[in-house]
Amino acid sequence: MYTIRTFTVKPSLPAPLEDLRIIAQNLYWAWHTDITDIFRRMDYELWKAVHHNPVKLLGNVSQARLEDLARNEGFLYQLKQAKEKLEETLNAPSWYEKVYNTTEAKPLIAYFSAEFGVHESLPIYSGGLGMLAGDHLKSASDLGIPLVGMGLMYQKGYCRQYLNTDGWQQEHYIDNDFHNMPIELVRKKGSRPLAVGIQFPGRTVTAQVWKAMVGRVPLFLLDTNIPDNKPEDRSITQALYGGDNETRICQEMVLGIGGLKALFAMDMEPTVCHMNEGHAAFMALERVRRLRSDKGMTFDEAVEAAKSSNVFTVHTPVAAGNDEFKIEMIDKYFGHYYGKLGINRDQFLNLGRVKPNDPNEGFKMPVLAIRMSASRNGVSQLHGQVSRKIWHGIWPELPEEEVPIQAVTNGVHARTWVSSELIDLYERYLGAKWSDEIVDKSIWQNVDQIPDEEMWRTHQRCKERLVAFARARLRKQMERRGAFHTELETADLVLDPEALTIGFARRFASYKRGNLLLRDKERLLRLLSQTEKPVQFIFAGKAHPRDASGKEIIREIVHFAKENKIQRKFVFLEDYDMDIARYMVQGVDVWLNNPRRPLEASGTSGMKAALNGILNMSTLDGWWCEGYIPNGGWIIGAGEEYDDLEYQDQVESQAIFDLLESEVVPVFYSRSKDRLPRRWIRRMKNTIKWCAPRFNTHRMVAEYTRKFYNPAAERWRCLTAEAMDRIRALSQWKTQVRNAWTDLSIENVEVQVSDGSQVSELNVRQPQLQVGSQVKVLAHVKLGRLKPDDVAVQIYHGTTDSKGQIQEGQVTRMGYQGNANGDGLSLFEGLIPCTASGQHGFALRVLPSNADMAEPYEPGMVLWES
């Protein structure tokens, strides 16, 4: 094999244009259209050809054009303004500094994710998870959160999609040219690339680190495609979600273990680690291993320290959809690791099992992340409930509603997804700082001040742009398939800018039901054949390369349009990405979303549409349970859940047609004398007013900061101070409590009402109490080797259902009253207020109690009165 020596060539810019290099290298431009206008102005056709990649643009624009721009005073002024805006933003006091003004050093939050959707020029994303992660970084930058991102730099990214002549999805992969992207290698002081080693079976895999700047936030990306590695190891970071389960575990080792190692190699010790889905859960184990190695801690002590400031966000609302590895694979890749953690094989495997010691259960990454985190959350209120149900088995002694998984509803980054035309409108009527103050509900009331004419004209411009984009895209699709010249001309006629346009764009998975409308093809054809009130649909989205059922849904849509000769009104755009998404969420009239409840964790594409005034029509799932208002969009059904999925699909497909025919189409085409759909515009404004301040990532990231990041950072500071003494004490205390837990028993319970009369056998002889009275509960508890401060004796109370089970229980902690009778039993007392009529009940329980625990449920020890 001959030797190849490589070198990097950078654009040669005239001195007056040197700032272009600085601006291009920071993805801040990705959410500021006034800056991207600079690159468009340089060469608009080339800007489109390089997929809006400014680094590649600078390397391909002609030298003559660069020299011309270097003499253009207007362009130089625009460039100067952009550079000043970037520097001002990066150096200005941030929201975080103003709100959390503290003399202590800022924490460092490390945000781990398998994909990041920052911009289409950095194609290391596939769908909603990546979009969320990219928007998370952008809002963290805008708010000044001390956060860094950690992910993987995929050589080929996610699959690119095209359809064959039969409408069947085909995939191909395009090599990412890292040296022509807005990233750069992290280097050591001697200019050599920084690299970290990850121990694999019988070898060490090396990963180098790339950095992308997302405003103030650095995003670090690990890459194993380097000569130091064997060919099979170079391909670990080849493709996102590509390969088999063995590739997946390798990628997740690089992300979790390698990611944490890379941060330490760059002298960045994270205070808080946030795992966005279970892909990065191995990070928690590496954190434990490092604490043991650096601080001389036991496994239990290191776990206490690490988990105290780990945060885990679960996304998948189906247990079977989460990453799970066979035990043989865990043994293969982690057999050498067990001893480094100071535990045996069974202890390690139990970290990833819902039921410890069950030899038939595999190793689940979300379970590992849950067990190794003090804070856990779903991504909508409904998804929080679903997650508590799915993972209830980890805390079998708790009522389902008390399973310690909270909810932080997702949001979207407004400036990334709102059209430039609408941004101008918002700035005129809401103020120049509307995006900084987006969570302030009061400023959104000013949307009512926008004249209907301006609102509609702005929306129509976005719609016209979508139609022009779709026509150009379809022409390219047809050219690739070898269409005749006469066929190509039809691409210029698809879609009507004046027609009611319904968009459906997302991952094509079976539960998302992209073909739900096709269950009644005759009714759909009648809808599409109307001439006075025309209706048209635009579809886009990819199926996973191994999801045959998802591909079949796409094929069915394409065949339906072709067989019925309605391609002009029923369009499928290939290769869905951020670019297509922007056009669609800004330009359609209705955003259709019809997943089977409750399988949609959140559904952020509908939020993007809503911020643009697009009306959602969705089943009551994910975010729409919180986003729907009667005078905004529409709901499909009423939030029912069915056992018979075939029947559910039939009912809800008919519900969509009923809505379209009786409500959506008539309202859209109801025009005033000036030809404005004022009822529709009213719904658009209501949607914006309700959704914009609630479903944005500024609110979301601030909520993460308030609920999780700052409390976790404070726990970390307190517990790791004084040479880790508090961590060691907490770990020792937990061991003592666990060993003594069998000593506990609730020996006797007495119940009194507020007038002092004795009431016994409450569960048999039910007393009649008045609203406003109180029930006093006295519990005699045998503590054994434990002290009163070691436990929390609680009353779990609430209304009861027909089976006598407590519904939506509340918890009242009982106070220690001493050893009343000298019988060795400890007396605890508590009160239950009677605030509402009906059948009520209560139960007593005991949990461990220690001020240094993040939450009392984490040890999994609960004693109920039997």
Side-chain angles (χ1 to χ4, degrees), residues 703-721:
E703 190 173 343
Y704 273 114
T705 302
R706 185 179 68 255
K707 290 173 69 171
F708 298 147
Y709 294 163
N710 280 358
E714 183 59 31
R715 280 196 302 273
W716 174 261
R717 275 194 294 265
C718 291
L719 293 175
T720 59

PDB file of all heavy atoms in Angstrom, residues 703-721:
ATOM      1  N   GLU A 703     -36.242  25.802  32.728  1.00  0.00           N
ATOM      2  CA  GLU A 703     -36.875  24.859  33.650  1.00  0.00           C
ATOM      3  C   GLU A 703     -35.894  23.763  34.059  1.00  0.00           C
ATOM      4  O   GLU A 703     -35.825  23.384  35.236  1.00  0.00           O
ATOM      5  CB  GLU A 703     -38.114  24.245  32.989  1.00  0.00           C
ATOM      6  CG  GLU A 703     -38.981  23.448  33.949  1.00  0.00           C
ATOM      7  CD  GLU A 703     -40.295  22.989  33.317  1.00  0.00           C
ATOM      8  OE1 GLU A 703     -40.686  23.539  32.264  1.00  0.00           O
ATOM      9  OE2 GLU A 703     -40.913  22.068  33.890  1.00  0.00           O
ATOM     10  N   TYR A 704     -35.126  23.239  33.098  1.00  0.00           N
ATOM     11  CA  TYR A 704     -34.084  22.269  33.441  1.00  0.00           C
ATOM     12  C   TYR A 704     -33.090  22.881  34.431  1.00  0.00           C
ATOM     13  O   TYR A 704     -32.656  22.227  35.384  1.00  0.00           O
ATOM     14  CB  TYR A 704     -33.325  21.825  32.190  1.00  0.00           C
ATOM     15  CG  TYR A 704     -33.945  20.660  31.454  1.00  0.00           C
ATOM     16  CD1 TYR A 704     -34.468  20.818  30.171  1.00  0.00           C
ATOM     17  CD2 TYR A 704     -34.007  19.391  32.030  1.00  0.00           C
ATOM     18  CE1 TYR A 704     -35.038  19.758  29.491  1.00  0.00           C
ATOM     19  CE2 TYR A 704     -34.568  18.323  31.354  1.00  0.00           C
ATOM     20  CZ  TYR A 704     -35.081  18.507  30.086  1.00  0.00           C
ATOM     21  OH  TYR A 704     -35.649  17.447  29.412  1.00  0.00           O
ATOM     22  N   THR A 705     -32.736  24.131  34.208  1.00  0.00           N
ATOM     23  CA  THR A 705     -31.770  24.799  35.078  1.00  0.00           C
ATOM     24  C   THR A 705     -32.317  24.934  36.494  1.00  0.00           C
ATOM     25  O   THR A 705     -31.631  24.636  37.472  1.00  0.00           O
ATOM     26  CB  THR A 705     -31.416  26.181  34.504  1.00  0.00           C
ATOM     27  OG1 THR A 705     -30.885  26.021  33.190  1.00  0.00           O
ATOM     28  CG2 THR A 705     -30.385  26.886  35.382  1.00  0.00           C
ATOM     29  N   ARG A 706     -33.558  25.379  36.577  1.00  0.00           N
ATOM     30  CA  ARG A 706     -34.170  25.609  37.894  1.00  0.00           C
ATOM     31  C   ARG A 706     -34.454  24.305  38.635  1.00  0.00           C
ATOM     32  O   ARG A 706     -34.172  24.186  39.826  1.00  0.00           O
ATOM     33  CB  ARG A 706     -35.457  26.406  37.709  1.00  0.00           C
ATOM     34  CG  ARG A 706     -36.126  26.805  39.020  1.00  0.00           C
ATOM     35  CD  ARG A 706     -37.389  27.610  38.774  1.00  0.00           C
ATOM     36  NE  ARG A 706     -38.458  26.807  38.168  1.00  0.00           N
ATOM     37  CZ  ARG A 706     -38.826  26.873  36.902  1.00  0.00           C
ATOM     38  NH1 ARG A 706     -38.209  27.691  36.073  1.00  0.00           N
ATOM     39  NH2 ARG A 706     -39.808  26.117  36.425  1.00  0.00           N
ATOM     40  N   LYS A 707     -34.999  23.317  37.933  1.00  0.00           N
ATOM     41  CA  LYS A 707     -35.441  22.081  38.586  1.00  0.00           C
ATOM     42  C   LYS A 707     -34.316  21.068  38.774  1.00  0.00           C
ATOM     43  O   LYS A 707     -34.311  20.314  39.748  1.00  0.00           O
ATOM     44  CB  LYS A 707     -36.572  21.427  37.769  1.00  0.00           C
ATOM     45  CG  LYS A 707     -37.873  22.189  37.807  1.00  0.00           C
ATOM     46  CD  LYS A 707     -38.901  21.605  36.869  1.00  0.00           C
ATOM     47  CE  LYS A 707     -39.411  20.256  37.308  1.00  0.00           C
ATOM     48  NZ  LYS A 707     -40.576  19.813  36.480  1.00  0.00           N
ATOM     49  N   PHE A 708     -33.365  21.040  37.822  1.00  0.00           N
ATOM     50  CA  PHE A 708     -32.381  19.962  37.827  1.00  0.00           C
ATOM     51  C   PHE A 708     -30.928  20.443  37.907  1.00  0.00           C
ATOM     52  O   PHE A 708     -30.185  20.029  38.795  1.00  0.00           O
ATOM     53  CB  PHE A 708     -32.549  19.093  36.573  1.00  0.00           C
ATOM     54  CG  PHE A 708     -33.883  18.410  36.482  1.00  0.00           C
ATOM     55  CD1 PHE A 708     -34.475  18.190  35.245  1.00  0.00           C
ATOM     56  CD2 PHE A 708     -34.558  17.981  37.603  1.00  0.00           C
ATOM     57  CE1 PHE A 708     -35.704  17.551  35.137  1.00  0.00           C
ATOM     58  CE2 PHE A 708     -35.792  17.344  37.528  1.00  0.00           C
ATOM     59  CZ  PHE A 708     -36.356  17.126  36.282  1.00  0.00           C
ATOM     60  N   TYR A 709     -30.508  21.310  36.971  1.00  0.00           N
ATOM     61  CA  TYR A 709     -29.092  21.644  36.880  1.00  0.00           C
ATOM     62  C   TYR A 709     -28.556  22.304  38.151  1.00  0.00           C
ATOM     63  O   TYR A 709     -27.560  21.846  38.735  1.00  0.00           O
ATOM     64  CB  TYR A 709     -28.830  22.563  35.683  1.00  0.00           C
ATOM     65  CG  TYR A 709     -29.077  21.957  34.326  1.00  0.00           C
ATOM     66  CD1 TYR A 709     -29.225  22.769  33.199  1.00  0.00           C
ATOM     67  CD2 TYR A 709     -29.165  20.572  34.145  1.00  0.00           C
ATOM     68  CE1 TYR A 709     -29.447  22.229  31.934  1.00  0.00           C
ATOM     69  CE2 TYR A 709     -29.383  20.031  32.888  1.00  0.00           C
ATOM     70  CZ  TYR A 709     -29.531  20.858  31.788  1.00  0.00           C
ATOM     71  OH  TYR A 709     -29.743  20.328  30.550  1.00  0.00           O
ATOM     72  N   ASN A 710     -29.200  23.383  38.573  1.00  0.00           N
ATOM     73  CA  ASN A 710     -28.680  24.085  39.744  1.00  0.00           C
ATOM     74  C   ASN A 710     -28.800  23.269  41.025  1.00  0.00           C
ATOM     75  O   ASN A 710     -27.843  23.231  41.818  1.00  0.00           O
ATOM     76  CB  ASN A 710     -29.359  25.452  39.887  1.00  0.00           C
ATOM     77  CG  ASN A 710     -28.745  26.488  38.959  1.00  0.00           C
ATOM     78  OD1 ASN A 710     -27.797  26.185  38.235  1.00  0.00           O
ATOM     79  ND2 ASN A 710     -29.268  27.693  38.965  1.00  0.00           N
ATOM     80  N   PRO A 711     -29.933  22.599  41.297  1.00  0.00           N
ATOM     81  CA  PRO A 711     -29.976  21.731  42.491  1.00  0.00           C
ATOM     82  C   PRO A 711     -28.937  20.621  42.428  1.00  0.00           C
ATOM     83  O   PRO A 711     -28.323  20.289  43.454  1.00  0.00           O
ATOM     84  CB  PRO A 711     -31.400  21.169  42.460  1.00  0.00           C
ATOM     85  CG  PRO A 711     -32.198  22.186  41.730  1.00  0.00           C
ATOM     86  CD  PRO A 711     -31.281  22.719  40.682  1.00  0.00           C
ATOM     87  N   ALA A 712     -28.714  20.038  41.239  1.00  0.00           N
ATOM     88  CA  ALA A 712     -27.712  18.979  41.108  1.00  0.00           C
ATOM     89  C   ALA A 712     -26.313  19.530  41.352  1.00  0.00           C
ATOM     90  O   ALA A 712     -25.481  18.889  42.014  1.00  0.00           O
ATOM     91  CB  ALA A 712     -27.799  18.341  39.725  1.00  0.00           C
ATOM     92  N   ALA A 713     -26.052  20.724  40.816  1.00  0.00           N
ATOM     93  CA  ALA A 713     -24.736  21.337  41.030  1.00  0.00           C
ATOM     94  C   ALA A 713     -24.509  21.638  42.510  1.00  0.00           C
ATOM     95  O   ALA A 713     -23.403  21.449  43.038  1.00  0.00           O
ATOM     96  CB  ALA A 713     -24.615  22.618  40.200  1.00  0.00           C
ATOM     97  N   GLU A 714     -25.553  22.099  43.181  1.00  0.00           N
ATOM     98  CA  GLU A 714     -25.432  22.390  44.611  1.00  0.00           C
ATOM     99  C   GLU A 714     -25.202  21.105  45.402  1.00  0.00           C
ATOM    100  O   GLU A 714     -24.383  21.080  46.331  1.00  0.00           O
ATOM    101  CB  GLU A 714     -26.697  23.101  45.104  1.00  0.00           C
ATOM    102  CG  GLU A 714     -26.656  23.529  46.561  1.00  0.00           C
ATOM    103  CD  GLU A 714     -25.502  24.472  46.872  1.00  0.00           C
ATOM    104  OE1 GLU A 714     -25.099  25.252  45.982  1.00  0.00           O
ATOM    105  OE2 GLU A 714     -24.991  24.418  48.016  1.00  0.00           O
ATOM    106  N   ARG A 715     -25.903  20.018  45.046  1.00  0.00           N
ATOM    107  CA  ARG A 715     -25.667  18.737  45.715  1.00  0.00           C
ATOM    108  C   ARG A 715     -24.231  18.289  45.511  1.00  0.00           C
ATOM    109  O   ARG A 715     -23.570  17.814  46.440  1.00  0.00           O
ATOM    110  CB  ARG A 715     -26.624  17.669  45.164  1.00  0.00           C
ATOM    111  CG  ARG A 715     -28.023  17.713  45.716  1.00  0.00           C
ATOM    112  CD  ARG A 715     -28.783  16.422  45.435  1.00  0.00           C
ATOM    113  NE  ARG A 715     -28.887  16.088  44.038  1.00  0.00           N
ATOM    114  CZ  ARG A 715     -29.840  16.519  43.231  1.00  0.00           C
ATOM    115  NH1 ARG A 715     -30.800  17.319  43.694  1.00  0.00           N
ATOM    116  NH2 ARG A 715     -29.875  16.153  41.969  1.00  0.00           N
ATOM    117  N   TRP A 716     -23.751  18.430  44.291  1.00  0.00           N
ATOM    118  CA  TRP A 716     -22.385  18.012  43.980  1.00  0.00           C
ATOM    119  C   TRP A 716     -21.383  18.809  44.814  1.00  0.00           C
ATOM    120  O   TRP A 716     -20.446  18.235  45.387  1.00  0.00           O
ATOM    121  CB  TRP A 716     -22.119  18.201  42.489  1.00  0.00           C
ATOM    122  CG  TRP A 716     -20.696  17.928  42.066  1.00  0.00           C
ATOM    123  CD1 TRP A 716     -19.707  18.836  41.854  1.00  0.00           C
ATOM    124  CD2 TRP A 716     -20.117  16.647  41.813  1.00  0.00           C
ATOM    125  NE1 TRP A 716     -18.550  18.219  41.475  1.00  0.00           N
ATOM    126  CE2 TRP A 716     -18.770  16.864  41.447  1.00  0.00           C
ATOM    127  CE3 TRP A 716     -20.599  15.343  41.851  1.00  0.00           C
ATOM    128  CZ2 TRP A 716     -17.896  15.820  41.123  1.00  0.00           C
ATOM    129  CZ3 TRP A 716     -19.727  14.303  41.528  1.00  0.00           C
ATOM    130  CH2 TRP A 716     -18.402  14.542  41.172  1.00  0.00           C
ATOM    131  N   ARG A 717     -21.592  20.117  44.899  1.00  0.00           N
ATOM    132  CA  ARG A 717     -20.670  20.947  45.681  1.00  0.00           C
ATOM    133  C   ARG A 717     -20.676  20.542  47.155  1.00  0.00           C
ATOM    134  O   ARG A 717     -19.621  20.414  47.779  1.00  0.00           O
ATOM    135  CB  ARG A 717     -21.047  22.429  45.540  1.00  0.00           C
ATOM    136  CG  ARG A 717     -20.463  23.103  44.319  1.00  0.00           C
ATOM    137  CD  ARG A 717     -20.577  24.618  44.404  1.00  0.00           C
ATOM    138  NE  ARG A 717     -21.959  25.057  44.363  1.00  0.00           N
ATOM    139  CZ  ARG A 717     -22.581  25.433  43.248  1.00  0.00           C
ATOM    140  NH1 ARG A 717     -21.936  25.404  42.098  1.00  0.00           N
ATOM    141  NH2 ARG A 717     -23.830  25.832  43.277  1.00  0.00           N
ATOM    142  N   CYS A 718     -21.874  20.350  47.694  1.00  0.00           N
ATOM    143  CA  CYS A 718     -21.976  20.021  49.118  1.00  0.00           C
ATOM    144  C   CYS A 718     -21.416  18.637  49.423  1.00  0.00           C
ATOM    145  O   CYS A 718     -20.664  18.449  50.385  1.00  0.00           O
ATOM    146  CB  CYS A 718     -23.430  20.094  49.574  1.00  0.00           C
ATOM    147  SG  CYS A 718     -24.107  21.760  49.600  1.00  0.00           S
ATOM    148  N   LEU A 719     -21.796  17.671  48.597  1.00  0.00           N
ATOM    149  CA  LEU A 719     -21.433  16.287  48.897  1.00  0.00           C
ATOM    150  C   LEU A 719     -19.970  15.986  48.624  1.00  0.00           C
ATOM    151  O   LEU A 719     -19.392  15.081  49.236  1.00  0.00           O
ATOM    152  CB  LEU A 719     -22.311  15.330  48.088  1.00  0.00           C
ATOM    153  CG  LEU A 719     -23.799  15.311  48.456  1.00  0.00           C
ATOM    154  CD1 LEU A 719     -24.575  14.409  47.505  1.00  0.00           C
ATOM    155  CD2 LEU A 719     -24.001  14.848  49.890  1.00  0.00           C
ATOM    156  N   THR A 720     -19.353  16.720  47.698  1.00  0.00           N
ATOM    157  CA  THR A 720     -17.954  16.435  47.367  1.00  0.00           C
ATOM    158  C   THR A 720     -16.982  17.359  48.078  1.00  0.00           C
ATOM    159  O   THR A 720     -15.776  17.266  47.866  1.00  0.00           O
ATOM    160  CB  THR A 720     -17.728  16.552  45.850  1.00  0.00           C
ATOM    161  OG1 THR A 720     -18.081  17.873  45.412  1.00  0.00           O
ATOM    162  CG2 THR A 720     -18.554  15.521  45.102  1.00  0.00           C
ATOM    163  N   ALA A 721     -17.508  18.257  48.915  1.00  0.00           N
ATOM    164  CA  ALA A 721     -16.625  19.131  49.688  1.00  0.00           C
ATOM    165  C   ALA A 721     -15.954  18.340  50.811  1.00  0.00           C
ATOM    166  O   ALA A 721     -16.343  17.214  51.132  1.00  0.00           O
ATOM    167  CB  ALA A 721     -17.417  20.299  50.262  1.00  0.00           C
TER     168      ALA A 721
END
